[in-house]
Amino acid sequence: MVKVMSSVLFSRGPPPGSRGEPGFDGRVVLYPSNRNLRDYLSWRQADCHINNLYNTVFWTLVQKGGLTTVQAEDRLKGTLAADKNEILFSDFDINYNNESAQHRKGTALIWEKRDETVTKRMKVPNEEEKDVAVTRSRRRVEAHHCDIIGDQFWEDHPEILEDDSC
């Protein structure tokens, strides 16, 4: 999966200022409850948002504002999210809320069941061969670029969390 994500991320060339392929942090952690897991994933998404907002403003200051990386870092020291949004909007006419959900929210990869129907040619005893539709369930990894902090995501995907009473 890491190679797939690297390929997708680098399909238009490396991001400005990068030094090679991105690294991915993968962990396996057992949390004591669904609430702990949701809290952790919410924190990760909030962290993704904070990092992306900073990087969006930082690289906009460098690429469109003509600042050096040191100057951009100095300008952003001590700023809050509202300050960063104001820099983007006032100086560059960029509304951060209009950036893609993938960049603002990150990517959640989850297994989802999908019904798949294929046509198979079958020979039924005492009959001629015929095409028969066969439906089977397959699990596929699906990418979601949405809010996972609120309840809606979890209501739409209840299969992610197991029953806490186990």
Side-chain angles (χ1 to χ4, degrees), residues 86-106:
E86 188 59 32
I87 290 169
L88 285 174
F89 191 73
S90 296
D91 295 359
F92 303 101
D93 199 31
I94 296 172
N95 183 339
Y96 183 75
N97 292 324
N98 294 337
E99 295 296 301
S100 75
Q102 179 179 3
H103 291 98
R104 290 181 293 111
K105 302 292 185 180

Side-chain angles (χ1 to χ4, degrees), residues 87-129:
I87 290 169
L88 285 174
F89 191 73
S90 296
D91 295 359
F92 303 101
D93 199 31
I94 296 172
N95 183 339
Y96 183 75
N97 292 324
N98 294 337
E99 295 296 301
S100 75
Q102 179 179 3
H103 291 98
R104 290 181 293 111
K105 302 292 185 180
T107 303
L109 299 173
I110 62 172
W111 285 102
E112 289 186 355
K113 275 189 181 175
R114 295 280 189 243
D115 285 338
E116 196 175 82
T117 303
V118 295
T119 303
K120 290 196 172 204
R121 193 112 177 115
M122 299 185 99
K123 172 82 170 137
V124 181
N126 301 327
E127 291 184 32
E128 290 186 28
E129 276 191 1

Side-chain angles (χ1 to χ4, degrees), residues 110-116 136-142 159:
I110 62 172
W111 285 102
E112 289 186 355
K113 275 189 181 175
R114 295 280 189 243
D115 285 338
E116 196 175 82
R136 59 183 168 209
S137 289
R138 295 268 189 200
R139 289 172 41 99
R140 300 202 186 282
V141 175
E142 298 289 336
E159 70 283 356

Side-chain angles (χ1 to χ4, degrees), residues 52-106:
N52 185 66
L53 178 59
Y54 179 90
N55 286 321
T56 298
V57 179
F58 179 87
W59 287 110
T60 301
L61 287 168
V62 171
Q63 294 173 343
K64 294 182 179 179
L67 299 183
T68 67
T69 55
V70 172
Q71 291 168 327
E73 188 177 348
D74 285 343
R75 175 131 185 232
L76 290 173
K77 278 184 186 166
T79 59
L80 302 174
D83 303 319
K84 292 175 186 76
N85 279 303
E86 188 59 32
I87 290 169
L88 285 174
F89 191 73
S90 296
D91 295 359
F92 303 101
D93 199 31
I94 296 172
N95 183 339
Y96 183 75
N97 292 324
N98 294 337
E99 295 296 301
S100 75
Q102 179 179 3
H103 291 98
R104 290 181 293 111
K105 302 292 185 180

